[in-house]
Amino acid sequence: MNDESRDTRLLRVAEHIRTQNWTAIGIDFLIVVLGVFVGIQVSNWNAARVDHQRGVDFTERLRVDLGNERWIYDFIAAYTQDVRDAANRAVQALEGDIELSNHDLLVAAYRATQYREGNRRSATYDELVSTGSLGLITDQRLLRNADWVFRLRTIENVVREGMESPYRLAFRQNVPNAVQRELASRCGDRAVVPGEYEGMDTVIDYPCTLELAPSVVDGVAETLRADPEIRRALRQRVADLETRLVDFDANRARGVFADVGGVAGERSQGTGR
């Protein structure tokens, strides 16, 4: 109702009151009430339509995020297992339980220092929580899975323990930088396309050959074999990695990702360190 029609309506109501035309007054009152009611309903319908569309958009975004999160989780779990296997080979060789050439010992010992960061995909869920919009998601199973998934701290624990590993520090302190650069270049992480499972198991677990003089390889390997602190730190590294692998399996057993399908993500994934 524009200003002119509103003024006209008010003038008519005033005239009806002056002449005590109660029937007309009742009709005017009913028109006003109906107008207000219709205005409120239209406003509510528009708000409901907007909220519904927001809910649809948030649901789709959340599904995509959870699909990416599942791939990240599977990738970090597979990578961590490969690092654990390398660490286990290295410590067994250092303790004399298996035989490894000095070359293969050096590669395994280097790969035991590695960890992989995972770029979490919680932006949509964080937005829903921070804006109080969780009620827009009508799929309660999806919402419950999102709550479970984004509360997990297994990947963060793997990254933190990898960064702070005493073994990682000892290895880097004892191995010449030139050798470390060669290890990273020849035996470091291969690229992986986020969202794709093919090649996930060979990011760090693949044959490689160092282009180092045999005397250099033998010298570094002897340094590792002769240092008892290296062995102790490597035992702890194996134990920490195995604890996190148990966490990965336990979360899967709980069905955290049971209803989450894999979705290809962006081509920007954390690199090995």
Side-chain angles (χ1 to χ4, degrees):
M1 183 182 296
N2 58 36
D3 291 343
E4 183 177 351
S5 61
R6 184 174 62 249
D7 291 343
T8 301
R9 173 65 60 187
L10 291 174
L11 289 173
R12 288 179 57 190
V13 170
E15 177 62 21
H16 292 155
I17 292 174
R18 188 179 65 79
T19 60
Q20 296 186 351
N21 188 343
W22 303 116
T23 300
I25 292 172
I27 293 173
D28 289 338
F29 178 76
L30 183 60
I31 291 173
V32 171
V33 170
L34 286 175
V36 171
F37 176 77
V38 170
I40 292 174
Q41 285 299 106
V42 170
S43 178
N44 289 341
W45 290 334
N46 286 335
R49 180 180 57 81
V50 170
D51 284 347
H52 173 74
Q53 188 57 51
R54 289 180 64 210
V56 170
D57 294 341
F58 271 125
T59 297
E60 179 59 25
R61 287 169 53 191
L62 192 58
R63 289 187 190 280
V64 172
D65 284 355
L66 286 173
N68 282 315
E69 194 72 11
R70 177 178 180 175
W71 183 88
I72 292 168
Y73 189 90
D74 290 341
F75 170 67
I76 298 297
Y79 186 89
T80 300
Q81 182 168 324
D82 288 341
V83 173
R84 187 280 310 271
D85 291 345
N88 202 43
R89 285 195 302 273
V91 75
Q92 286 181 320
L94 291 177
E95 293 179 340
D97 295 329
I98 63 172
E99 290 188 6
L100 281 182
S101 68
N102 285 339
H103 176 280
D104 291 346
L105 170 62
L106 186 53
V107 171
Y110 161 71
R111 287 175 170 171
T113 70
Q114 294 293 86
Y115 68 91
R116 188 85 178 208
E117 292 182 341
N119 298 324
R120 307 296 299 271
R121 298 293 197 274
S122 62
T124 300
Y125 185 74
D126 291 342
E127 182 179 349
L128 286 167
V129 172
S130 64
T131 60
S133 302
L134 289 173
L136 296 176
I137 306 296
T138 59
D139 188 336
Q140 293 304 303
R141 176 176 291 183
L142 176 69
L143 200 57
R144 182 176 66 251
N145 284 345
D147 183 62
W148 284 351
V149 167
F150 294 121
R151 287 179 186 272
L152 294 179
R153 289 295 174 264
T154 306
I155 292 175
E156 286 82 355
N157 289 336
V158 168
V159 172
R160 175 178 52 79
E161 290 172 357
M163 292 176 61
E164 299 174 358
S165 168
Y167 172 70
R168 177 182 173 87
L169 177 62
F171 183 91
R172 294 196 167 196
Q173 287 177 337
N174 283 277
V175 175
N177 293 118
V179 174
Q180 293 186 49
R181 283 192 288 271
E182 177 69 7
L183 283 163
S185 174
R186 303 287 178 181
C187 305
D189 288 4
R190 287 174 165 174
V192 60
V193 178
E196 295 186 6
Y197 282 79
E198 184 178 357
M200 179 184 288
D201 293 329
T202 57
V203 171
I204 196 170
D205 183 19
Y206 61 90
C208 67
T209 301
L210 299 172
E211 294 188 0
L212 294 171
S215 60
V216 173
V217 173
D218 292 345
V220 175
E222 180 56 33
T223 297
L224 298 177
R225 294 181 190 276
D227 189 346
E229 290 299 326
I230 290 284
R231 291 196 295 275
R232 281 193 284 270
L234 191 49
R235 290 190 204 106
Q236 179 183 338
R237 178 68 170 146
V238 171
D240 289 342
L241 289 165
E242 290 184 342
T243 297
R244 296 309 161 201
L245 288 172
V246 169
D247 292 343
F248 279 116
D249 290 340
N251 291 329
R252 287 195 186 99
R254 288 172 53 204
V256 171
F257 289 99
D259 300 312
V260 178
V263 178
E266 302 170 358
R267 292 174 177 265
S268 58
Q269 179 62 33
T271 57
R273 305 290 179 175

